[in-house]
Amino acid sequence: MKVLLAGSLLGYGGIQSHLRWLIKALGEEGYEILAVSVGIQTPSDADLRYLQKFQSGKVEFLCFPAFQKQKFDFHLSKLQRLAEITTIIKKFSPDVYLAVGTGWNLFLPPLLSRTKTRLIFHEVMSGFAGNWHDSRWAARWCFDDVVGQSPTVAKTFAESFGWKKPVCVLPAIPEPLEVTAFLPKVTSKKVEVGKAKAALFSRLVPHKQAFWLVQQWNSLKDVLHELHIHGGGPEEALIKEYISFHSLGDRVKCFGRYPEGQAYVDLLSSYDLTLLPTVGAEGAPLVLLESMACGIPFVAYGVGGIPDYGVDNTNVIIVPPEPWVTNQAKEFTTTGKPSQTKAFIDAVGEMSHKLAEGKINQMELQQFYLERYSYQVLKNAWLSYLCK
């Protein structure tokens, strides 16, 4: 089978991780794969060497350079890129075209190519429809199938875009820590209230609320011993400045970008819980799967597909969004009053007490991941879907 996967392959994030590991999974089974990166990032030599790690069998990568927005012929360049991708699709003539992400360069080329191929869109965001120029409307009107990252995401997409056909549910593939590293042999443990080490692993952008979380330290300091922030992004400098200005550095720290593979597993496993107070238009963040893979419970806002991680899973806490997080985080707002953020802080306290009372089964949590979200489980699910 010939499969063309289109999306953003460069950089670090859930979409990139999912695409790269899905490519590897299909390549291992002998699929002929053409992976086209339609993002806005120009690939470096290091990027291209990194992608080679995911090559197996008949896999080819194609990455375009970013547009130069200063050029007077910027819009002409965009049309030329559209034509290039369309020609590539015609030449490759795939049996399946799988789009992951957003952008008109994902959806228009397969339609313009007029090749007889099965068009599939994998929704890994929240499923909420944007305005009339949201590129996912092209998938709504012209693609054969839509796959949701979680049941909630699938339902939201169908309702928001008026999709009438059934929406299959297939999770995105996280970095499979059981493949790239040795997972810890998890044991159940108690952690005294006020002694727990908590961490947030995320891109540091406003809707992830890492800076907000640091600002709540006065309300967290009695239930947590330390709070560590891992990730890069626009808020990194702001967080570090706040920690320094308020002299919190002995218990609150911001480390920047975090590692991969065994170093990531060892770092993640050193914590007692992870936190994700995001109020953005999420799909189902893969970092929460990685936390479960190491047997580390989490507290997260229940936006997008995050509540699906809590189904039949008593070892995590999903916090229902408060009224100011409108439409399941369809819009991010910073207008909430301090009292309106109390639910997440209370949930961290609840998790702290559960850890102290031995009500969190870390071994059971890791097994939950292995049975539902491990690389082999998700690989088999995708193979079964694409072959039907």
Side-chain angles (χ1 to χ4, degrees):
M1 180 183 289
K2 298 173 70 175
V3 180
L4 192 153
L5 289 98
S8 179
L9 291 167
L10 306 177
Y12 299 90
I15 291 177
Q16 290 87 349
S17 177
H18 168 48
L19 272 170
R20 292 190 290 244
W21 283 100
L22 180 57
I23 289 163
K24 186 169 182 62
L26 299 180
E28 288 171 347
E29 296 302 309
Y31 285 48
E32 187 174 347
I33 305 295
L34 176 59
V36 180
S37 184
V38 296
I40 58 174
Q41 182 178 340
T42 297
S44 65
D45 291 340
D47 289 325
L48 297 177
R49 286 195 299 271
Y50 182 70
L51 285 178
Q52 290 175 0
K53 293 171 54 178
F54 300 91
Q55 280 192 305
S56 56
K58 302 174 182 178
V59 174
E60 181 182 352
F61 292 100
L62 183 58
C63 302
F64 293 98
F67 294 116
Q68 297 181 27
K69 292 188 177 182
Q70 294 78 14
K71 292 179 64 177
F72 70 91
D73 58 350
F74 174 58
H75 293 294
L76 177 60
S77 297
K78 292 174 71 174
L79 291 174
Q80 289 174 335
R81 176 65 50 80
L82 193 64
E84 284 181 83
I85 299 174
T86 300
T87 301
I88 288 165
I89 295 171
K90 283 182 181 179
K91 184 177 179 180
F92 186 63
S93 189
D95 299 300
V96 172
Y97 178 94
L98 176 60
V100 182
T102 58
W104 291 103
N105 273 341
L106 274 180
F107 300 110
L108 291 184
L111 305 177
L112 296 173
S113 71
R114 298 184 180 276
T115 54
K116 293 182 179 179
T117 183
R118 181 182 172 197
L119 303 180
I120 303 172
F121 171 55
H122 190 205
E123 173 63 294
V124 293
M125 298 302 290
S126 66
F128 282 111
N131 51 31
W132 62 270
H133 53 77
D134 187 325
S135 59
R136 291 173 296 170
W137 285 106
R140 154 67 177 89
W141 291 109
C142 305
F143 272 46
D144 300 304
D145 296 297
V146 171
V147 178
Q149 186 185 355
S150 78
T152 299
V153 169
K155 182 175 182 291
T156 301
F157 183 93
E159 293 175 349
S160 297
F161 286 91
W163 181 266
K164 302 303 181 184
K165 295 165 62 176
V167 180
C168 182
V169 174
L170 282 172
I173 304 177
E175 179 187 347
L177 299 179
E178 72 278 12
V179 173
T180 63
F182 292 101
L183 290 179
K185 187 175 181 180
V186 175
T187 58
S188 293
K189 63 177 183 178
K190 295 181 180 181
V191 183
E192 185 182 338
V193 173
K195 298 296 183 182
K197 287 178 60 179
L200 178 147
F201 292 87
S202 173
R203 179 158 170 73
L204 304 183
V205 292
H207 73 266
K208 298 288 187 178
Q209 294 214 111
F211 181 46
W212 169 84
L213 187 64
V214 170
Q215 291 175 299
Q216 311 310 306
W217 179 247
N218 195 52
S219 300
L220 294 169
K221 64 182 181 181
D222 293 331
V223 294
L224 297 178
H225 180 60
E226 292 185 37
L227 171 63
H228 293 180
I229 307 297
H230 294 275
E235 288 195 335
E236 182 179 350
L238 192 64
I239 291 170
K240 289 180 176 178
E241 289 172 7
Y242 184 91
I243 291 171
S244 176
F245 182 81
H246 292 276
S247 302
L248 303 177
D250 57 334
R251 295 176 66 186
V252 182
K253 307 176 191 296
C254 181
F255 294 99
R257 182 179 158 188
Y258 49 92
E260 298 178 301
Q262 192 63 54
Y264 179 42
V265 168
D266 294 342
L267 176 62
L268 186 50
S269 301
S270 70
Y271 293 102
D272 300 303
L273 70 155
T274 58
L275 309 175
L276 189 62
T278 178
V279 293
E282 299 283 357
L286 302 187
V287 68
L288 298 179
L289 294 182
E290 293 159 357
S291 185
M292 289 191 282
C294 295
I296 307 301
F298 65 77
V299 178
Y301 254 129
V303 297
I306 292 176
D308 296 316
Y309 287 155
V311 176
D312 300 324
N313 185 3
T314 59
N315 296 300
V316 301
I317 295 178
I318 311 294
V319 184
E322 291 145 312
W324 66 277
V325 186
T326 59
N327 290 328
Q328 276 269 30
K330 186 176 182 180
E331 300 285 343
F332 170 66
T333 175
T334 57
T335 58
K337 297 178 182 178
S339 61
Q340 294 174 306
T341 62
K342 189 172 182 292
F344 190 88
I345 303 302
D346 288 347
V348 177
E350 180 186 350
M351 176 62 79
S352 177
H353 282 86
K354 281 191 170 187
L355 285 166
E357 295 164 8
K359 293 181 179 179
I360 296 297
N361 188 325
Q362 290 89 348
M363 293 184 293
E364 186 178 85
L365 183 60
Q366 185 181 61
Q367 195 60 33
F368 180 88
Y369 163 83
L370 292 172
E371 292 176 358
R372 302 189 185 210
Y373 297 104
S374 65
Y375 177 65
Q376 195 60 50
V377 167
L378 297 185
K379 176 181 175 179
N380 290 342
W382 275 97
L383 290 172
S384 176
Y385 171 73
L386 291 174
C387 288
K388 71 179 182 181

